[in-house]
Amino acid sequence: MTKIIVVTSGKGGVGKTTTSASFAVGLANRGFKTAVIDFDIGLRNLDLIMGCERRVVYDFVNVIRGEANLNQALIRDKHNKELYILPASQTRDKDALTLEGVGTVLDELRKTFDYIVCDSPAGIERGAQLAMYYADSAIVVTNPEVSSVRDSDRMLGLLSSKTKRAEEGNGKITEHLLLTRYSPKRVSKGEMLSLEDVNEILAIPLLGVIPESPAVLKASNSGVPVIVDSESDAGQAYADAVARYLGEEVPLRFLEEKSNWLKRIFSFKEKEVV
């Protein structure tokens, strides 16, 4: 049975598109046929991170308006035959998406795909609500800062009341927390919220913690989702999050300062010498 996942947050710039791209790649790498859709009409960044911007001919809005069929608009990933991208339009406004049109496209995708990842725009405007409306589960992306967590808390309210499941009384969609740009060093200095602080405020199951890492920017600029960089801490953290989503028990990593371990080792050696 096809599962629709919305990647959402209340605040912009927290890493939703990075998460959508990496999560879709992670699912496809596990052998699941996966489609990832860019709902951010007018901006369109998913195709850049996926490295397929030059291959866009038709987009999500073209399909909804009947100007192209779904097969014409879907872009097959160059590296994984199980992964397809449906880009957003850069030239239309956000009202180009309709509830019925989105539903029709998702129904068509359900016939073929195991997972559909919806990359939501930030905030609570129409595009974000359409991205979450048909979802079965949500990945709520937040940074460890007060404004980001507060906005994510507001999104949880919408997820519990503004989805098709909620309207039809079929229960809440499954909610998962993904904490991005986490820096143990800055947490220890009191410059950002701790994992415990965020968990206490949002109180939804933790899917993963993505460390603050230069690998994320490098990957975005290269047009390759960071999960592909299996040597990077961020890439490994995203792979862990996908594993947890699929029900595997994977311990959390990257929650402590790396320098702490070095200090302990050198401190121990100094004591031995003395």
Side-chain angles (χ1 to χ4, degrees):
M1 184 177 177
T2 304
K3 183 168 285 188
I4 298 175
I5 305 168
V6 61
V7 179
T8 187
S9 74
K11 194 174 186 294
V14 298
K16 286 186 303 301
T17 301
T18 294
T19 297
S20 296
S22 287
F23 218 80
V25 170
L27 291 169
N29 285 345
R30 295 299 192 98
F32 296 105
K33 193 165 186 181
T34 305
V36 56
I37 307 174
D38 191 345
F39 274 79
D40 205 353
I41 306 302
L43 292 179
R44 198 174 86 187
N45 288 316
L46 179 65
D47 57 309
L48 291 172
I49 290 181
M50 298 297 296
C52 64
E53 69 276 9
R54 295 182 180 180
R55 298 165 60 200
V56 176
V57 178
Y58 296 106
D59 56 51
F60 194 7
V61 174
N62 290 138
V63 177
I64 286 177
R65 294 194 170 185
E67 298 162 354
N69 63 46
L70 191 55
N71 287 332
Q72 288 176 298
L74 283 171
I75 301 171
R76 189 172 186 172
D77 185 70
K78 291 182 289 188
H79 308 290
N80 194 313
K81 65 179 182 180
E82 301 296 336
L83 179 59
Y84 290 78
I85 302 98
L86 182 56
S89 172
Q90 279 186 308
T91 59
R92 311 291 179 97
D93 59 38
K94 298 183 186 299
D95 293 331
L97 294 183
T98 64
L99 190 63
E100 297 76 14
V102 171
T104 298
V105 171
L106 291 176
D107 284 343
E108 189 66 23
L109 289 170
R110 283 180 192 270
K111 298 175 183 177
T112 309
F113 290 90
D114 300 308
Y115 286 97
I116 302 167
V117 179
C118 301
D119 180 26
S120 172
I124 60 173
E125 42 86 5
R126 182 172 177 78
Q129 293 191 26
L130 288 174
M132 73 171 64
Y133 184 76
Y134 294 98
D136 300 303
S137 63
I139 298 174
V140 180
V141 183
T142 189
N143 292 157
E145 55 185 60
V146 173
S147 61
S148 179
V149 174
R150 181 188 62 185
D151 289 347
S152 292
D153 194 33
R154 189 176 184 187
M155 293 307 296
L156 290 175
L158 293 177
L159 287 167
S160 66
S161 61
K162 296 291 185 180
T163 63
K164 186 178 181 182
R165 279 175 172 258
E167 288 182 1
E168 295 179 349
N170 292 328
K172 291 177 62 177
I173 70 175
T174 306
E175 298 164 343
H176 307 273
L177 171 64
L178 190 74
L179 188 59
T180 56
R181 295 180 180 169
Y182 192 77
S183 170
K185 184 177 182 179
R186 294 181 64 191
V187 169
S188 66
K189 292 181 178 180
E191 296 175 357
M192 61 172 52
L193 298 176
S194 69
L195 173 59
E196 292 74 18
D197 293 332
V198 177
N199 269 331
E200 186 176 343
I201 296 168
L202 297 180
I204 59 174
L206 178 66
L207 187 63
V209 177
I210 312 300
E212 194 169 47
S213 171
V216 174
L217 180 59
K218 179 182 176 182
S220 297
N221 288 337
S222 302
V224 179
V226 70
I227 195 173
V228 176
D229 183 3
S230 59
E231 298 297 317
S232 70
D233 48 4
Q236 293 169 22
Y238 270 116
D240 289 351
V242 172
R244 292 189 197 97
Y245 184 86
L246 295 174
E248 299 175 22
E249 292 188 11
V250 181
L252 288 169
R253 297 191 277 174
F254 314 114
L255 299 182
E256 295 185 6
E257 290 184 62
K258 293 179 182 178
S259 58
N260 280 355
W261 295 101
L262 293 173
K263 287 177 182 177
R264 289 173 191 170
I265 291 171
F266 287 124
S267 175
F268 181 72
K269 285 184 177 179
E270 286 174 3
K271 288 178 182 178
E272 279 188 329
V273 172
V274 173

